[in-house]
Amino acid sequence: MKPLVFVDRRLPLEVLQYIEEHCTVKTWGKDEERNPEQLRHYLQDVVGFFNSSSVPIDSKLLDCAPNLKVVSTMSVGYNHFDLDAMKRRNIIGTHTPYVLDDTVADLVIGLMLSTARRIAELDTYIKAGNWKGNEGKKLFGVDVHHQKLGIIGMGRIGEVIAKRAALGFDMDVMYYNRSRKPEVEAQYGVTYVSMQHLLEQADFVVLMLPLTAESRNIIGQEQFASMKKNAIFINTSRGGTVVEQHLIEALQQGIIGGAGLDVFEQEPLPSDHPFLTLSNVVLTPHIGSATEATRYNMAKIAAQNLVHALQGNDKAYVVKELL
């Protein structure tokens, strides 16, 4: 008998058919996100869960899924996993690393360029009919090439960013990480430094840390005060890694030069959020992996993870804390 699984989103036909070859599938079949109450109903009798939402996989949810063995999330991040609760239940959790590295790196470089050269701001300026042709320095931005880039968190995506910045833009790249990456240093000429040195010296600071107890609110008032006055801060990791109010104050008071943000404490942003009134911020709606090709590949890998984990083989990308 095929194992019963629940898929909480619409999937490409080929991906759904792959799961159906190996499993009996229950699907949500709608585009809107599921709430916890709805999930608890669907998870009552399944052994596998294809998860694409940010609903916490916690004790309250797991208590309603007595047969659950595998949760396969369609994301590289898994901060919505209650790892202790999953360990107690011996539930396997998988994610989708590697597949979105290049796509997220694209967005980081795009945010750097857009913020530095004021692309979004000046797009609005010209569309509003304000371009008169005699603005002079009023429209100036700052260079990206040959500037100093500091990457906080040299994981897989950080390595791709370092490669593009060093080889494509001739940037002087430094990084801070829990452990050194000598191979990355040798390959791309990047330099390992302390976090404080990075904050003080970088023209662009890119935050690429997963959200953990250690990284929550890692960037706040003290860190922004340490940055250069014209520094540009980029965050495509998780909103919880930054004390958002301190970032707002740093931008409003000119403590730093600007920011490019794809993630926020509250998503979607409230209509009265201060970020929406600031001209020195470029905002995107948490779209780091949002291309059709990448999302298809993420769905495919998540489906393979689900099937492999249920079959008990070692091909699934199990999150390291649950190995």
Side-chain angles (χ1 to χ4, degrees):
M1 181 181 295
K2 293 180 180 180
L4 179 63
V5 303
F6 173 59
V7 175
D8 75 347
R9 63 168 291 152
R10 294 182 188 272
L11 293 178
L13 180 59
E14 299 88 346
V15 176
L16 180 60
Q17 288 176 337
Y18 168 80
I19 299 176
E20 289 175 337
E21 288 176 12
H22 303 277
C23 307
T24 300
V25 180
K26 295 197 299 183
T27 62
W28 173 242
K30 301 178 183 179
D31 291 326
E32 64 266 25
E33 189 166 301
R34 288 62 49 207
N35 61 44
E37 289 71 26
Q38 290 167 326
L39 280 180
R40 292 184 193 111
H41 170 74
Y42 278 95
L43 295 178
Q44 289 178 358
D45 53 353
V46 303
V47 296
F49 175 25
F50 183 109
N51 162 237
S52 66
S53 70
S54 58
V55 171
I57 309 300
D58 56 14
S59 294
K60 190 173 182 180
L61 186 71
L62 297 178
D63 286 345
C64 299
N67 301 320
L68 192 63
K69 297 179 180 179
V70 176
V71 179
S72 175
T73 188
M74 199 184 107
S75 64
V76 62
Y78 49 91
N79 52 288
H80 60 302
F81 282 5
D82 183 333
L83 297 170
D84 290 335
M86 294 174 72
K87 285 178 183 177
R88 288 194 296 271
R89 289 278 306 275
N90 293 315
I91 293 174
I92 297 170
T94 66
H95 65 145
T96 61
Y98 310 112
V99 65
L100 47 68
D101 297 353
D102 283 301
T103 302
V104 176
D106 282 352
L107 181 63
V108 170
I109 297 297
L111 286 172
M112 288 171 57
L113 289 166
S114 185
T115 308
R117 297 303 305 272
R118 303 168 59 192
I119 292 172
E121 177 190 355
L122 295 179
D123 173 76
T124 300
Y125 179 86
I126 194 171
K127 287 177 178 177
N130 294 325
W131 187 25
K132 306 304 180 185
N134 58 355
E135 288 86 353
K137 291 185 178 181
K138 181 180 178 181
L139 307 184
F140 283 13
V142 297
D143 287 328
V144 175
H145 65 86
H146 293 90
Q147 299 300 299
K148 293 181 179 179
L149 169 63
I151 303 173
I152 301 174
M154 187 57 77
R156 295 176 300 271
I157 300 172
E159 292 179 18
V160 179
I161 296 167
K163 174 184 177 182
R164 296 182 185 193
L167 303 184
F169 290 87
D170 294 312
M171 298 185 82
D172 178 2
V173 182
M174 64 191 88
Y175 76 99
Y176 170 75
N177 200 53
R178 285 187 300 179
S179 57
R180 291 188 65 168
K181 299 286 187 74
E183 68 283 0
V184 179
E185 295 173 25
Q187 190 168 9
Y188 305 125
V190 305
T191 305
Y192 178 78
V193 297
S194 69
M195 186 166 169
Q196 186 62 32
H197 180 87
L198 184 153
L199 293 171
E200 292 173 354
Q201 296 299 316
D203 300 299
F204 296 84
V205 176
V206 174
L207 185 59
M208 289 306 309
L209 294 174
L211 182 59
T212 64
E214 293 75 22
S215 68
R216 182 173 292 279
N217 295 332
I218 195 171
I219 302 295
Q221 185 176 39
E222 180 181 347
Q223 289 70 38
F224 290 122
S226 296
M227 295 181 193
K228 293 181 177 180
K229 189 176 178 64
N230 62 345
I232 291 174
F233 176 69
I234 306 293
N235 187 15
T236 60
S237 58
R238 287 292 187 271
T241 56
V242 178
V243 182
E244 200 164 90
Q245 183 56 39
H246 293 172
L247 174 56
I248 292 167
E249 293 167 1
L251 292 163
Q252 290 174 333
Q253 298 169 20
I255 294 170
I256 63 173
L261 308 172
D262 186 50
V263 291
F264 310 91
E265 284 185 355
Q266 181 180 344
E267 298 179 358
L269 278 180
S271 60
D272 60 348
H273 197 286
F275 282 151
L276 304 179
T277 67
L278 297 174
S279 62
N280 57 347
V281 183
V282 175
L283 309 173
T284 53
H286 203 149
I287 56 161
S289 64
T291 70
E292 186 171 352
T294 296
R295 289 289 174 86
Y296 175 87
N297 289 329
M298 290 170 68
K300 182 178 178 181
I301 291 173
Q304 292 170 339
N305 283 339
L306 179 67
V307 171
H308 292 326
L310 287 171
Q311 292 176 342
N313 65 49
D314 59 2
K315 295 180 180 179
Y317 289 114
V318 179
V319 303
K320 60 183 179 180
E321 294 87 349
L322 296 176
L323 286 172

